[in-house]
Amino acid sequence: MDTERMLVEVFSAGCPACTEAVKLVAELGRLRCDVRVLDMHLPDVAERAEALGVRSVPAIAVDGILSLIH
């Protein structure tokens, strides 16, 4: 059994859509993922988001790869 955990970063501005995304990711990833919720109001988080290509929130990156949310 593979025990390596994925890193899931949720970029959030605290809006209702972001809150729902955080809840969903936390529920889906609770067993195999380390989930980090990142506040887009912080400069270092905004820099990380820009480096990944985030254009809107909520945004989710899995192991450093930006996932598209539709």
Side-chain angles (χ1 to χ4, degrees):
M1 177 178 184
D2 183 41
T3 60
E4 187 172 330
R5 296 174 63 85
M6 293 182 286
L7 172 60
V8 179
E9 298 166 292
V10 182
F11 295 89
S12 171
C15 66
C18 292
T19 301
E20 285 300 313
V22 168
K23 285 197 283 189
L24 179 63
V25 168
E27 180 63 27
L28 293 174
R30 71 178 189 256
L31 297 177
R32 296 207 43 198
C33 301
D34 290 324
V35 178
R36 296 185 187 159
V37 179
L38 304 172
D39 184 349
M40 287 291 290
H41 296 104
L42 301 174
D44 59 326
V45 172
E47 287 176 19
R48 170 96 174 120
E50 183 178 7
L52 290 174
V54 171
R55 301 245 185 245
S56 62
V57 292
I60 299 170
V62 178
D63 288 335
I65 300 171
L66 186 62
S67 300
L68 298 177
I69 301 174
H70 291 63

